[in-house]
Amino acid sequence: MRKKIVAGNWKMHTTPDEGLTLARQVMETAHANEHREVIFFAPFVHLTTLQKEVSVSPFFSVGAQNCSNHEKGAFTGEVAAFMLRSIDVSWVLVGHSERRQYYHENHTILKQKVDQALSQQLLVMFCCGETLDQRMEGNFREVIRKQLEESLFHLDATQMNQVAIAYEPVWAIGTGQTATPDQAQEVHAFIRELIKQKYGDGVAARVRIVYGGSVKPDNAKDLFNKPDIDGGLVGGASLNALDFVTIIHAAE
Ligand code: 13P
């Protein structure tokens, strides 16, 4: 049985103090459950303090929203995977559509980021998903296949066990327009099938595939009940402790 993941992506919101308060509220209110884990993907300047706070609980962990595609060196403004490792951050988000769109992160850069993260024993949550145009044109399966093949499928099976996948249809992010549970399930099953073809049954059965895009307290349960949806990557609703806790409790 796959352990569910409910992850909050705070994006570029909250000061470190506000983030700490939010995480405390969530940790105090959410019921512990060994069948799920909760991740806070916080801005870089939060991570040191947040990690210390969160590390007391086995059910919660901290992730960065990005890392450099380079190991180290003259890359002003970048944060390297080894720096994240040094403060015991567990996860790093790679390939979020906002990074692809606004910072022009292409398949090659994302592949390098995946490699940097794994070389520092960070767990990777790799995001994929199609735009509205790509869905309308009907070739979204090819888009997702390419995203996975170009940036992830060079990994071996052992490395692949360090990866979770977030399916985030771009048209559903921050729009209030959620993919229906059936629409999401169809893509999740497709992604699992791709992994099965590449890595075999064992890896495919183990890999967690979470859904992101306007996950809210009132739609989380229907999404998370689908057989191939192993939890959620939550943006807006993760900034409200009560909403986020309701979403966490939806993952049973
Ligand atoms: P929203 O939940 O605000 O749609 O954001 C989804 C997302 O991008 C999570 O990474």
Side-chain angles (χ1 to χ4, degrees), residues 9-16 18-19 22 42-43 46 65 235-236 239:
N9 176 6
W10 295 352
K11 306 193 179 183
M12 200 170 73
H13 295 289
T14 71
T15 64
E18 289 164 349
L22 177 59
H46 294 225
Q65 296 173 11
L239 295 168

Side-chain angles (χ1 to χ4, degrees), residues 7-11 41 93 96-98 125 127 166 168-170 172-177 211-216 232-239 247:
N9 176 6
W10 295 352
K11 306 193 179 183
F41 284 104
L93 207 57
H96 194 280
S97 62
E98 288 150 18
M125 183 172 286
C127 305
E168 296 208 303
V170 180
I173 295 177
T175 58
Q177 191 191 348
Y211 168 81
S214 297
V215 177
K216 304 288 177 210
L233 178 57
V234 187
S238 74
L239 295 168
I247 295 170

Side-chain angles (χ1 to χ4, degrees), residues 212-223:
S214 297
V215 177
K216 304 288 177 210
D218 60 0
N219 60 26
K221 216 177 182 78
D222 288 342
L223 287 160

Side-chain angles (χ1 to χ4, degrees), residues 36-129:
R36 64 171 171 243
E37 57 180 296
V38 177
I39 310 166
F40 300 109
F41 284 104
F44 286 129
V45 294
H46 294 225
L47 296 176
T48 307
T49 333
L50 192 63
Q51 172 58 27
K52 287 198 182 105
E53 182 79 16
V54 169
S55 61
V56 298
S57 166
F59 302 108
F60 293 86
S61 52
V62 170
Q65 296 173 11
N66 184 23
C67 72
S68 174
N69 57 323
H70 298 285
E71 186 187 347
K72 61 179 171 184
F75 301 101
T76 302
E78 289 290 280
V79 173
F82 81 88
M83 300 171 187
L84 299 173
R85 173 76 279 167
S86 76
I87 57 166
D88 294 327
V89 161
S90 308
W91 288 86
V92 61
L93 207 57
V94 176
H96 194 280
S97 62
E98 288 150 18
R99 302 284 326 166
R100 293 177 191 262
Q101 185 180 351
Y102 305 134
Y103 301 96
H104 314 294
E105 295 188 357
N106 59 28
H107 299 312
T108 309
I109 292 174
L110 296 175
K111 179 182 181 187
Q112 292 165 345
K113 290 190 179 208
V114 167
D115 289 343
Q116 286 302 327
L118 293 180
S119 77
Q120 296 297 325
Q121 289 78 49
L122 296 164
L123 301 167
V124 170
M125 183 172 286
F126 183 83
C127 305
C128 61

